[in-house]
């Protein structure tokens, strides 16, 4: 057909096609440039500054890893024995109901933003939901029915759900509605939004209701001052009188809290120990009586409806282990059927079954239950992993070394299969946030692409200031004068893994987010001789400007950790240790990722670092999401960010 049209046009006297002109003796044109390779469209909410387009072929290669999902346990429906879960089938995680083990995941919420929620205890007639806008963390409380949300709070302030009363009639919550800064304490029957009333006008952003007495005459209240210092109180609901439980001047940390069916207040606490233990707390005297003795933190627990059994999880060097306590006899039974991994959301059903979520290196997060009488495990969900066999994923090994002052520090090292990737391989060091956090042995998700497809190892350090290693360890980086000791820990751990025979010491990159992002900036300055490039996400570049611009409800909490910029001596030290102060020493390429709505680390922290690097002629990619906050929660955005990171690391670690 094309040939017929060309001949017809020639006979009609039309202009000669190029091929005919060449045959007639006209000069031959230069060869046509090859068509550009197709690229991945940039999502509408993202802006990509001074960074290359992403080849579509790379997205196709990584697609199975991008399509993995997980499920989180959100509670039991006491009326139907179904479970409430969070999982994602669209762009963000939503609430779903699963009526029976391995049953269909029936979607209940249909929001454009991620949501979390829980059933009211005992009654199960209400699902309480928390949701923010674009990652701004100004959460509003709602009830969910027939796929629609009914607003319970003012739509403007930051509202954090606390504990339910044991009978499910009241929910405690904190709100900044009074002045936008302090977390005042409220109580409400969510069936009647007009019932909401303030119980206590607080000062500070760390207040929460953690339980109610059985007669609902009082609430138990926590004031979180720092990871090492949490004060507990008894709050009279009628008078608003606040009575301390124990001595508020004592530096004691409390974790979880539950009120047993007999009214006993159970908590986790590091009182008298370097680790969080489970025990009874006397609200009158403040005396803590531990019932566990593990030399690791008890991270979470719940009590059966009859009060006879407690399920709790122990964090053993970054892996959670489930334990069952017979309250009457004190006997502890280990649940050994679960491999090393991560446990979350422990909750007893009224009929005695224990629900929880679980993930491991070889298993995406899914919902399980345990019968404490028979120790039988039941799997409720099997989340898709993009068609990939998660059983082939690499498991980590623990690397330990001594830091500059003799302190032992450790991290988790994942290395690619040497049969597929022989010889020394490049490595990415990934630093957790917090700093009161911990890198743990869970499912890496899309991170497995580095190991399985690119042959790039991954190392997750736990420097001083990390949780999980006792209250002494977590305090060793406090304040501006100790802050850089954690950077020295990171240097010692990087040196240790660079000596591994499977690691190419000349091809090591580093990434981190939030506080890990500060560590990323600091590494770009202080450890540049050990690194080829850095990728820093929602990162602190200047401690003074960070403290002055972080959301007001967080400011005092962060001053306890980092230092007080209002004090001249501390301000000078904070300025000295800020990576922005030494930006002229950054000599390697950097990729910065930012959420424009971040209430914790404002976008300005990234803007000033990127501008300073570029002003010196340095390489600084910058990816900004207009509809995200402290991290990317929307799949379209997080997919693009991940693919952009692959481009960055392929260039700087693999030379592609």
């Amino acid at each position: 057909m094309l040939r017929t049209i060309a001949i017809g046009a020639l006979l009609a006297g039309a202009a000669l096609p190029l091929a005919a002109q060449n045959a007639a003796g006209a000069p031959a044109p230069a060869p046509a440039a090859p068509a550009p390779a197709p690229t991945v469209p940039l999502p509408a909410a993202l802006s990509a500054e001074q960074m290359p387009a992403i080849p579509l072929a790379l997205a196709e290669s990584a697609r199975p890893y991008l399509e993995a999902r997980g499920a989180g346990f959100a509670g039991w429906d006491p009326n139907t024995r179904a479970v409430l879960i969070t999982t994602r089938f669209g762009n963000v995680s939503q609430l779903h109901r699963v009526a029976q083990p391995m049953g269909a995941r029936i979607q209940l919420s249909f929001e454009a933003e991620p949501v979390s929620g829980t059933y009211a205890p005992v009654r199960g007639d209400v699902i309480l939901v928390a949701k923010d806008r674009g990652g701004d963390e100004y959460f509003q409380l709602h009830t969910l029915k027939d796929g629609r949300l009914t607003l319970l709070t003012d739509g403007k302030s930051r509202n954090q759900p606390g504990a339910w009363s044991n009978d499910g009639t009241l929910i405690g919550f904190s709100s900044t509605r009074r002045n936008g800064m302090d977390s005042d304490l409220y109580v409400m029957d969510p069936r009647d939004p007009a019932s909401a009333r303030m119980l206590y006008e607080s000062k500070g952003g760390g207040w929460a209701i953690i339980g109610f007495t059985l007669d609902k005459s009082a609430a138990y209240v926590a004031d979180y001052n720092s990871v090492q210092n949490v004060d507990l109180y008894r709050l009279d609901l009628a008078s608003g009188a606040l009575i301390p439980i124990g001595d508020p001047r004592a530096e004691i940390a409390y974790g979880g809290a539950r009120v047993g069916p007999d009214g006993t207040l159970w908590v986790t606490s590091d009182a008298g120990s370097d680790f969080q233990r489970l025990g009874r707390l006397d609200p009158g005297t403040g005396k803590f009586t531990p019932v566990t003795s593990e030399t690791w933190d008890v991270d979470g627990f719940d009590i059966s409806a009859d009060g006879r059994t407690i399920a709790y999880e122990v964090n053993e060097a970054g892996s959670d282990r489930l334990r069952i306590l017979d309250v009457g006899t004190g006997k502890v039974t280990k649940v050994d059927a679960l491999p090393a991994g991560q446990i979350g959301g422990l909750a007893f059903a009224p009929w005695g079954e224990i629900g929880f979520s679980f993930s491991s290196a070889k298993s995406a997060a899914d919902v399980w239950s345990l019968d404490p009488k028979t120790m039988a495990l039941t799997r409720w969900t099997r989340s898709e992993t993009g068609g990939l066999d998660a059983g082939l994923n690499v498991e980590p090994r623990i690397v330990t070394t001594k830091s500059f002052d003799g302190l032992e520090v450790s991290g988790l090292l994942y290395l690619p299969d040497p049969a597929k990737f022989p010889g020394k391989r490049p490595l990415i060091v990934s630093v957790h946030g917090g700093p009161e956090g911990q890198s743990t042995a869970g499912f890496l998700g899309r991170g497995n692409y580095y190991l399985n497809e690119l042959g790039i190892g991954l190392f997750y350090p736990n420097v001083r200031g990390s949780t999980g290693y006792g209250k002494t360890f977590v305090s060793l980086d406090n304040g501006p004068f100790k802050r850089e000791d954690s950077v020295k820990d990171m240097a010692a751990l990087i040196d240790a893994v660079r000596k591994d025979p499977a690691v190419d010491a000349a091809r090591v990159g580093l990434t981190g987010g939030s506080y890990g992002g500060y560590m990323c900036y600091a590494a770009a300055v202080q450890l540049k001789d050990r690194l080829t490039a850095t990728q820093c996400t929602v990162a602190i570049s200047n401690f003074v400007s960070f403290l002055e611009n972080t959301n007001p409800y967080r400011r005092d909490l962060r001053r306890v950790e980092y230092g007080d910029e209002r004090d001249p001596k501390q301000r000078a030290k904070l300025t000295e240790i800020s990576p922005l102060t030494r930006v002229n020493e950054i000599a390697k390429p950097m990729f910065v990722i930012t959420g424009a709505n971040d209430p914790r680390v404002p976008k300005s922290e990234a803007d000033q670092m990127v501008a300073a690097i570029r002003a010196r002629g340095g390489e600084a990619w910058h990816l900004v999401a207009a509809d995200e906050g402290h991290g990317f929660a929307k799949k379209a955005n997080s997919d693009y960010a991940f693919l952009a990171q692959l481009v960055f690391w392929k260039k700087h670690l693999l030379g592609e």
Side-chain angles (χ1 to χ4, degrees), residues 1 73-74 141 214 242 255 279 289 309 314 411 416-417 430 441 475 519 550 568 585 599 635:
M1 179 64 71
F73 179 73
L141 304 185
L214 296 183
L242 195 69
T289 305
T309 309
V314 180
D417 181 0
S430 181
S475 70
M519 295 285 275
T550 192
E585 299 178 49
K635 185 176 186 298

Side-chain angles (χ1 to χ4, degrees), residues 58-71:
L58 178 61
E60 293 299 328
S61 171
R63 188 168 308 284
Y65 293 86
L66 300 177
E67 296 308 320
R69 63 171 58 89

Side-chain angles (χ1 to χ4, degrees), residues 131-132 136-140 156-159 176 180 551:
K131 180 174 74 76
D132 71 352
D136 64 3
E137 299 186 16
Y138 276 71
F139 297 100
Q140 302 304 318
K156 298 178 292 184
S157 59
R158 173 181 164 87
N159 302 273
T176 62
N551 197 290

Side-chain angles (χ1 to χ4, degrees), residues 342-377:
Q342 298 304 301
I343 296 170
L346 279 175
F348 273 93
W351 51 93
E353 200 169 357
I354 306 164
F356 57 95
S357 54
F358 175 78
S359 70
S360 70
K362 297 179 180 294
S363 175
D366 272 310
V367 174
W368 294 73
S369 66
L370 175 76
D371 184 334
K373 295 179 180 178
T374 65
M375 302 302 286
L377 282 166

Side-chain angles (χ1 to χ4, degrees), residues 512-535:
S514 189
Y515 177 75
Y518 153 72
M519 295 285 275
C520 182
Y521 285 156
V525 172
Q526 300 181 41
L527 310 181
K528 56 183 175 293
D529 294 338
R530 297 171 171 89
L531 304 172
T532 61
T534 51
Q535 189 282 297

Side-chain angles (χ1 to χ4, degrees), residues 512-521 536-542 546 592-594 598 601-602 604-606 609 630:
S514 189
Y515 177 75
Y518 153 72
M519 295 285 275
C520 182
Y521 285 156
C536 312
T537 300
V538 294
I540 301 168
S541 61
N542 182 313
F546 159 71
V592 177
I593 297 178
T594 307
D598 192 341
V601 181
S604 54
E605 290 297 302
M609 177 60 84
H630 198 62

